[in-house]
Amino acid sequence: MANDNHLTVLCNGLLFDGTGAPTRPADIWIRQDRVVAICDPGVSPPGSMGARRVDCADRVVAPGFIDVHTHDDAIVLDQPEMLPKLSQGVTTVIGGNCGISLVPLITDSPEAPLSLLGTHQFRFADLRSYQDAVDAARPGVNVAMLIGHTALRMQAMSDLDRPANAAELQRMCDVLDSAMQAGAVGLSSGVFYHPAFAADVHELSTLVRVIAPYHGVYTSHIRDELKGIMASLEEAALTARLGGAALVLSHHKCAGPGNWGRTRETLARIEALSQEQSIGLDVYPYTAGSTVLREDLVDGVIDILITGSQSHPEMAGRYLADIAKEWGVSQVQAVRRLSPGGACYFQMQQEDVDRVVCHPLTVIGSDGLPHDERPHPRLWGAFPRVLNQYWREKGLLSLEQALHKMTGLSAERFHLAGRGILRTGSFADVVVFDPALVRDCSTYSEPWRFSEGIEQVWVNGCLSYSGRERACIGRAGRFVPRA
Ligand code: ZN
Ligand code: CU
């Protein structure tokens, strides 16, 4: 069943080829890790006798989804079945987002936000050694990697509370350059987080200049997604422009009630900027964000749901306001007691999320946090949720538009060759789903519930997930270098 020399045909399904073109009836022929032919239903290519037939009648057959925004760097090694992703139809994850990457940091005690990747896998000085570890673990999904600016800083700098000096910056550039040579897809930054906050446009754009000749992508978790969002957008755009690379704005949102409705403004500005430079967005389809516990995100207005706490693990799954009341303290004081930990912050307005999801420059990324005790439901549900809510229920996207944001557009943005598209010669990363049923089931109280309607997931020609068994039944993922 794995990568043998057999021919398999996924027949009688509705093919979405990843480009955004309308779905059409077609048979997809697979040998080893590739699509070898796409034919009209019932038409057999030469030499196809004895092929294994998989009936996909009334099912959509699409390129496996690409999760462009993940923090899966360590989990692909620790839990290589990768069920949270495979069960959504995801076949490739891009790690290293928000400035946070395993590479190139060696430490036993990563400070926040690096701790979002767990604590015990920081053992890779360079991308090649990480690539070897991925290939040895043979995870259920393919893995592409961004290099995190915060990780570079921690590796190169003695004092994080100032911009890098010339020698430190040179060291960071050298490490980044060798990672790009080894196939990183680009650089990510997260100046929102303390260890990177002191970095200025000079430091960041100097690093972006390193990835530009490789056609690397610069992804940015901007400095401020609340009141200061416009200035923060400008900073990210300027950084990418000065550095000469394409920009992806991570998990675009207008956070905080005072900011609700402003995606009209931000998206208009992003469209204007896109006339002069390459800009894209990623988004997860939920009104709550999730990250480490932070006092500055406690405003006394929004709901905050604890996803984990080192000092009080029993509080995972409870609301901060309730905990504070029970303890007889303020919410900020409760956060201090619970830290380090994580939370979901219900900081967005539904209309803003809808506007971003539906924008033509946007691709889907889960931003799932696999190390949280009780993770945000996006970890298990982001992709089916887009299909369920935005296509089937609200009708805000066509099926093709929704799928394009998870496949072809994502691969194009991040330069992943042969992925995100189904045509002769492309990799056989395929999801087969029931369009009448597909939906997310994971919730804030039960984040681990499997999505429905995802029936088969093929990775590099290997049947890797069965919806009937709700299990990983093959692991054929690889490290995927930038094209
Ligand atoms: Zn982020
Ligand atoms: Cu993130």
Side-chain angles (χ1 to χ4, degrees), residues 34-88:
R34 302 280 176 161
V35 173
V36 292
I38 291 180
C39 303
D40 288 336
V43 176
S44 302
S48 61
M49 288 280 285
R52 186 162 71 108
R53 299 178 70 79
V54 178
D55 185 34
C56 299
D58 303 320
R59 303 295 182 261
V60 172
V61 180
F65 304 148
I66 297 171
D67 189 349
V68 301
H69 191 120
T70 86
H71 298 286
D72 289 340
D73 307 28
I75 209 79
V76 294
L77 307 176
D78 287 341
Q79 293 172 30
E81 293 77 16
M82 289 301 290
L83 266 176
K85 298 298 165 73
L86 268 183
S87 63
Q88 296 184 56

Side-chain angles (χ1 to χ4, degrees), residues 226 254-258 260 287-289 294-305 319-321 331 343-349:
L226 290 112
C254 288
W260 286 352
T287 53
R294 279 176 61 140
E295 287 174 33
D296 62 338
L297 296 177
V298 177
D299 64 1
V301 180
I302 62 165
D303 285 332
I304 297 175
L305 179 67
Y319 283 93
L320 179 65
Q331 291 195 27
C344 292
Y345 302 88
F346 291 80
Q347 57 189 179
M348 285 169 262
Q349 188 191 43

Side-chain angles (χ1 to χ4, degrees), residues 69 71 97-98 100 192-193 221 225 250-251 253 367:
H69 191 120
H71 298 286
N97 273 279
C98 299
I100 304 162
F192 165 73
Y193 292 107
H221 179 160
E225 294 174 326
S250 296
H251 41 61
K253 64 170 77 71
D367 202 6

Side-chain angles (χ1 to χ4, degrees), residues 185-457:
V185 292
L187 170 73
S188 78
S189 74
V191 289
F192 165 73
Y193 292 107
H194 160 254
F197 190 76
D200 56 13
V201 169
H202 170 70
E203 175 179 326
L204 288 160
S205 62
T206 304
L207 287 162
V208 175
R209 210 167 294 136
V210 171
I211 67 171
Y214 298 95
H215 301 290
V217 180
Y218 172 54
T219 73
S220 170
H221 179 160
I222 59 174
R223 200 173 287 282
D224 186 349
E225 294 174 326
L226 290 112
K227 264 207 305 286
I229 188 157
M230 294 310 286
S232 297
L233 279 183
E234 297 298 340
E235 180 188 26
L238 175 65
T239 301
R241 242 178 6 250
L242 291 173
L247 172 66
V248 171
L249 295 161
S250 296
H251 41 61
H252 185 56
K253 64 170 77 71
C254 288
N259 227 13
W260 286 352
R262 290 186 70 197
T263 52
R264 282 196 195 84
E265 214 181 310
T266 60
L267 291 172
R269 180 62 188 142
I270 290 163
E271 278 166 30
L273 286 164
S274 75
Q275 304 299 310
E276 287 141 46
Q277 65 188 109
S278 171
I279 299 194
L281 311 162
D282 71 60
V283 74
Y284 48 84
Y286 297 85
T287 53
S290 186
T291 185
V292 291
L293 271 173
R294 279 176 61 140
E295 287 174 33
D296 62 338
L297 296 177
V298 177
D299 64 1
V301 180
I302 62 165
D303 285 332
I304 297 175
L305 179 67
I306 303 302
T307 56
S309 159
Q310 256 176 47
S311 49
H312 294 277
E314 74 282 4
M315 293 302 176
R318 296 194 56 196
Y319 283 93
L320 179 65
D322 297 337
I323 298 168
K325 201 186 273 168
E326 201 172 294
W327 286 349
V329 300
S330 72
Q331 291 195 27
V332 169
Q333 283 167 326
V335 162
R336 277 182 209 145
R337 281 200 205 169
L338 291 161
S339 294
C344 292
Y345 302 88
F346 291 80
Q347 57 189 179
M348 285 169 262
Q349 188 191 43
Q350 189 66 53
E351 291 78 52
D352 280 323
V353 177
D354 293 354
R355 229 173 265 132
V356 178
V357 169
C358 295
H359 196 276
L361 291 174
T362 303
V363 297
I364 307 303
S366 71
D367 202 6
L369 298 175
H371 301 273
D372 280 352
E373 222 141 307
R374 184 178 287 268
H376 186 301
R378 65 196 184 185
L379 177 67
W380 284 83
F383 288 79
R385 185 176 178 86
V386 170
L387 295 173
N388 177 35
Q389 298 226 322
Y390 289 87
W391 167 52
R392 242 191 2 228
E393 281 191 1
K394 299 187 197 169
L396 294 174
L397 293 171
S398 69
L399 176 62
E400 286 85 354
Q401 285 171 328
L403 290 172
H404 187 50
K405 290 173 177 294
M406 309 174 178
T407 58
L409 187 57
S410 322
E412 189 184 306
R413 260 290 124 78
F414 286 87
H415 299 287
L416 302 177
R419 314 273 173 193
I421 234 137
L422 291 177
R423 63 163 73 104
T424 302
S426 62
F427 288 99
D429 292 347
V430 186
V431 54
V432 179
F433 67 87
D434 183 340
L437 275 185
V438 66
R439 70 180 187 107
D440 60 306
C441 298
S442 110
T443 62
Y444 292 96
S445 52
E446 290 183 285
W448 313 278
R449 288 178 63 183
F450 282 76
S451 296
E452 283 175 5
I454 304 290
E455 296 192 347
Q456 293 185 358
V457 183

